[in-house]
Amino acid sequence: MALSNSKLYDNKIIPTIILNEARIALSHYPELDNVSIEFKFKPSLRQSVMKAQPKLNSVFKAKNRRAYVILMSKTFTLDGTTLHLKDIPKNVLIGWLGHELGHIMDYKERSTLNLIFFGLKYFLSGNYIRKAERIADSYAVQSGMKDYILDTKSFILNHSDLSEKYKARIKRLYVSPNEILNIVKEQQAN
């Protein structure tokens, strides 16, 4: 079932080019050990670098039988700026994958109807996107990925080759490094 450029790792399909990074990110989420996840390259993701979503054919299955896919591109073209996967530092890639796994942690507890409404709200509302991204980062931080997430945020916001338009979108819709530290404090207080 695994493609020649991918490796079947338990119930995960992982392209060999990111195998080590994906395994490190997955090691922070033992709750996902029995969850089917495919890491899949796609030619274009429009305004995203990566995105996690349930596989369409599993949305109506019981929560514990759903399968998920993390879509990504080997080359990211954002607002005319091209960035190659091979040029992304290992810790940053681990953080990006960890963030997407945080989305799967959120999705796996949702009912089918709730998941459908989540998708609609995410598509239609910037405020809802921000809330969903905070939840994903919270799962990543809770799973011990704080340093990876901070590396990823720093890479995006300080990378000179990424356009200011993309950085402004990230600042508007995603959790800032300071907010990540606040999440850590909140979790330590609980």
Side-chain angles (χ1 to χ4, degrees), residues 59 63 66 107-116:
V59 170
K63 292 181 202 178
R66 282 193 201 126
Y107 301 158
K108 77 181 190 73
E109 297 306 320
R110 293 176 181 270
S111 69
T112 297
L113 194 57
N114 184 280
L115 199 54
I116 291 168

Side-chain angles (χ1 to χ4, degrees), residues 13-72:
I13 299 174
I14 306 170
T16 54
I17 191 171
I18 63 158
L19 181 62
N20 291 332
E21 292 84 354
R23 288 173 71 174
I24 291 168
L26 283 163
S27 73
H28 288 270
Y29 292 95
E31 309 91 338
L32 296 177
D33 285 352
N34 296 321
V35 177
S36 176
I37 303 171
E38 180 179 2
F39 297 79
K40 184 176 182 179
F41 286 112
K42 198 170 176 185
S44 174
L45 294 176
R46 292 182 17 202
Q47 293 185 330
S48 297
V49 172
M50 292 184 194
K51 64 180 174 182
Q53 60 191 40
K55 286 190 172 183
L56 196 55
N57 63 354
S58 76
V59 170
F60 294 100
K61 292 182 178 179
K63 292 181 202 178
N64 64 344
R65 296 192 61 229
R66 282 193 201 126
Y68 299 90
V69 62
I70 295 178
L71 300 171
M72 62 197 116

